[in-house]
Coordinates of all heavy atoms in Angstrom, one line a residue:
D1 N -3.6 -21.6 10.6 CA -4.9 -21.1 11.2 C -5.3 -19.9 10.3 O -4.4 -19.1 9.9 CB -4.6 -20.6 12.6 CG -5.9 -20.1 13.3 OD1 -6.9 -20.8 13.1 OD2 -5.8 -19.0 13.9
I2 N -6.6 -19.8 10.0 CA -7.0 -18.7 9.1 C -6.7 -17.3 9.7 O -6.4 -16.4 8.9 CB -8.6 -18.9 8.9 CG1 -9.0 -17.9 7.8 CG2 -9.4 -18.6 10.1 CD1 -8.6 -18.3 6.4
S3 N -6.7 -17.2 11.0 CA -6.4 -15.9 11.6 C -4.9 -15.5 11.3 O -4.6 -14.3 11.1 CB -6.6 -15.8 13.1 OG -5.8 -16.8 13.7
E4 N -4.0 -16.5 11.3 CA -2.6 -16.2 10.9 C -2.5 -15.8 9.5 O -1.7 -14.8 9.2 CB -1.8 -17.5 11.2 CG -1.6 -17.8 12.6 CD -0.8 -19.1 12.8 OE1 -0.3 -19.7 11.8 OE2 -0.8 -19.6 13.9
A5 N -3.2 -16.4 8.6 CA -3.2 -16.1 7.2 C -3.7 -14.6 7.0 O -3.2 -13.9 6.2 CB -4.0 -17.1 6.4
K6 N -4.8 -14.3 7.7 CA -5.4 -13.0 7.6 C -4.5 -11.9 8.1 O -4.4 -10.8 7.6 CB -6.7 -12.9 8.4 CG -7.9 -13.6 7.6 CD -9.2 -13.5 8.4 CE -10.3 -14.2 7.7 NZ -11.5 -14.1 8.4
E7 N -3.7 -12.3 9.2 CA -2.8 -11.3 9.7 C -1.7 -11.0 8.7 O -1.3 -9.8 8.6 CB -2.2 -11.9 11.0 CG -1.2 -10.9 11.7 CD -0.6 -11.5 13.0 OE1 -1.3 -12.3 13.6 OE2 0.5 -11.2 13.3
I8 N -1.2 -12.0 8.1 CA -0.1 -11.8 7.1 C -0.7 -11.0 5.9 O 0.0 -10.1 5.4 CB 0.5 -13.1 6.6 CG1 1.3 -13.7 7.8 CG2 1.4 -12.9 5.4 CD1 2.0 -15.0 7.5
H9 N -1.9 -11.3 5.5 CA -2.5 -10.6 4.4 C -2.6 -9.1 4.8 O -2.4 -8.2 4.0 CB -3.9 -11.1 4.1 CG -4.5 -10.5 2.9 ND1 -5.4 -9.5 3.0 CD2 -4.4 -10.8 1.6 CE1 -5.8 -9.2 1.8 NE2 -5.2 -10.0 0.9
A10 N -3.0 -8.8 6.0 CA -3.1 -7.4 6.5 C -1.8 -6.7 6.5 O -1.6 -5.5 6.1 CB -3.7 -7.4 7.9
Q11 N -0.7 -7.5 6.8 CA 0.7 -6.9 6.8 C 1.1 -6.6 5.3 O 1.7 -5.5 5.1 CB 1.7 -7.9 7.4 CG 1.6 -7.9 8.9 CD 2.1 -6.7 9.5 OE1 3.1 -6.1 9.1 NE2 1.5 -6.3 10.6
L12 N 0.7 -7.5 4.4 CA 1.0 -7.2 3.0 C 0.2 -6.0 2.5 O 0.7 -5.2 1.7 CB 0.7 -8.4 2.1 CG 1.6 -9.6 2.3 CD1 1.1 -10.8 1.6 CD2 3.0 -9.2 1.7
D13 N -1.0 -5.8 2.9 CA -1.8 -4.7 2.6 C -1.2 -3.4 3.1 O -1.1 -2.4 2.4 CB -3.3 -4.8 3.1 CG -4.1 -5.7 2.2 OD1 -3.8 -5.9 1.1 OD2 -5.2 -6.1 2.7
A14 N -0.7 -3.4 4.4 CA -0.1 -2.3 5.0 C 1.2 -1.9 4.2 O 1.5 -0.7 4.0 CB 0.2 -2.5 6.4
L15 N 1.9 -2.9 3.8 CA 3.2 -2.6 3.1 C 2.8 -2.0 1.7 O 3.5 -1.1 1.2 CB 4.0 -3.9 2.9 CG 5.3 -3.8 2.2 CD1 6.2 -2.9 2.8 CD2 5.9 -5.2 2.1
F16 N 1.8 -2.6 1.1 CA 1.4 -2.0 -0.2 C 1.0 -0.6 -0.1 O 1.4 0.3 -0.9 CB 0.2 -2.9 -0.8 CG -0.3 -2.3 -2.1 CD1 0.4 -2.5 -3.3 CD2 -1.5 -1.6 -2.1 CE1 -0.1 -1.9 -4.5 CE2 -2.0 -1.1 -3.3 CZ -1.3 -1.3 -4.4
E17 N 0.2 -0.3 0.9 CA -0.2 1.1 1.1 C 1.0 2.0 1.4 O 1.0 3.1 0.9 CB -1.2 1.2 2.3 CG -2.6 0.6 2.0 CD -3.3 1.4 0.9 OE1 -3.2 2.6 0.8 OE2 -3.9 0.7 0.0
L18 N 1.9 1.5 2.2 CA 3.1 2.3 2.4 C 3.8 2.7 1.2 O 4.3 3.8 0.9 CB 4.0 1.6 3.4 CG 5.3 2.2 3.9 CD1 4.9 3.4 4.7 CD2 6.1 1.3 4.6
L19 N 4.0 1.7 0.3 CA 4.7 1.9 -0.9 C 3.9 2.6 -2.0 O 4.5 3.4 -2.7 CB 5.1 0.5 -1.5 CG 6.1 -0.3 -0.7 CD1 6.4 -1.7 -1.3 CD2 7.5 0.5 -0.6
S20 N 2.6 2.5 -2.0 CA 1.8 3.1 -3.0 C 1.5 4.6 -2.7 O 1.2 5.4 -3.5 CB 0.5 2.4 -3.2 OG -0.3 2.4 -2.1
D21 N 1.7 5.0 -1.4 CA 1.5 6.4 -1.0 C 2.4 7.3 -1.8 O 2.1 8.3 -2.3 CB 1.7 6.6 0.5 CG 0.4 6.2 1.3 OD1 -0.6 6.0 0.7 OD2 0.6 6.1 2.5
K22 N 3.7 6.9 -1.8 CA 4.7 7.7 -2.5 C 4.4 7.8 -4.0 O 4.5 8.9 -4.6 CB 6.1 7.1 -2.3 CG 7.2 7.9 -2.9 CD 8.5 7.4 -2.6 CE 9.6 8.3 -3.2 NZ 10.9 7.8 -2.9
R23 N 4.0 6.7 -4.5 CA 3.6 6.7 -6.0 C 2.5 7.6 -6.3 O 2.5 8.3 -7.3 CB 3.4 5.2 -6.4 CG 3.2 5.1 -7.9 CD 3.0 3.6 -8.2 NE 3.0 3.5 -9.6 CZ 2.7 2.4 -10.2 NH1 2.5 1.3 -9.5 NH2 2.7 2.3 -11.5
K24 N 1.4 7.5 -5.4 CA 0.2 8.4 -5.6 C 0.6 9.9 -5.5 O 0.2 10.7 -6.3 CB -0.8 8.1 -4.6 CG -1.5 6.8 -4.8 CD -2.5 6.5 -3.7 CE -3.1 5.1 -3.8 NZ -4.0 4.9 -2.7
K25 N 1.5 10.2 -4.6 CA 1.9 11.6 -4.4 C 2.7 12.1 -5.6 O 2.5 13.2 -6.1 CB 2.7 11.8 -3.2 CG 2.0 11.7 -1.9 CD 2.9 11.8 -0.7 CE 2.1 11.5 0.6 NZ 3.0 11.5 1.8
K26 N 3.5 11.2 -6.2 CA 4.3 11.6 -7.3 C 3.4 11.8 -8.5 O 3.6 12.8 -9.3 CB 5.3 10.4 -7.6 CG 6.3 10.7 -8.7 CD 7.3 9.6 -8.9 CE 8.3 9.9 -10.0 NZ 9.2 8.9 -10.2
I27 N 2.5 10.9 -8.7 CA 1.6 11.0 -9.9 C 0.7 12.3 -9.7 O 0.5 13.1 -10.7 CB 0.7 9.8 -10.0 CG1 1.5 8.6 -10.5 CG2 -0.5 10.0 -11.0 CD1 0.8 7.3 -10.4
K28 N 0.2 12.5 -8.5 CA -0.6 13.7 -8.2 C 0.2 15.0 -8.5 O -0.3 15.9 -9.2 CB -1.1 13.7 -6.8 CG -2.0 14.9 -6.5 CD -2.4 14.8 -5.0 CE -3.3 16.0 -4.7 NZ -3.7 16.0 -3.2
N29 N 1.5 15.0 -8.1 CA 2.3 16.2 -8.4 C 2.5 16.4 -9.8 O 2.6 17.5 -10.3 CB 3.6 16.1 -7.6 CG 3.5 16.3 -6.1 OD1 2.5 16.9 -5.7 ND2 4.4 15.8 -5.4
E30 N 2.7 15.3 -10.6 CA 2.9 15.5 -12.0 C 1.7 16.1 -12.7 O 1.8 16.9 -13.6 CB 3.2 14.1 -12.6 CG 4.6 13.6 -12.3 CD 4.9 12.2 -12.8 OE1 4.1 11.7 -13.5 OE2 6.0 11.7 -12.5
F31 N 0.5 15.7 -12.3 CA -0.7 16.2 -12.9 C -1.0 17.7 -12.5 O -1.6 18.4 -13.2 CB -1.9 15.3 -12.6 CG -1.9 14.1 -13.4 CD1 -1.8 12.8 -12.8 CD2 -2.1 14.1 -14.8 CE1 -1.8 11.7 -13.6 CE2 -2.1 13.0 -15.5 CZ -1.9 11.7 -15.0
E32 N -0.5 18.0 -11.3 CA -0.7 19.4 -10.9 C 0.1 20.4 -11.7 O -0.3 21.6 -11.7 CB -0.4 19.5 -9.4 CG -1.4 18.9 -8.5 CD -1.0 19.0 -7.0 OE1 0.2 19.3 -6.7 OE2 -1.8 18.6 -6.1

């Protein structure tokens, strides 16, 4: 079902955001 696929895609996006937050903070601190 398309809604199931969209739900998994949203979970992958959430995971990506969770992992990329640390990376963004690290890069920001390096430039500061």
Side-chain angles (χ1 to χ4, degrees):
D1 184 47
I2 190 71
S3 62
E4 292 176 8
K6 286 181 179 180
E7 183 180 330
I8 291 179
H9 187 267
Q11 287 290 320
L12 286 170
D13 281 342
L15 181 59
F16 176 75
E17 288 298 318
L18 181 68
L19 294 173
S20 64
D21 280 347
K22 182 176 182 180
R23 187 174 185 187
K24 287 178 188 176
K25 288 178 186 175
K26 184 177 181 182
I27 291 171
K28 184 179 177 183
N29 287 339
E30 288 176 4
F31 284 114
E32 286 176 351

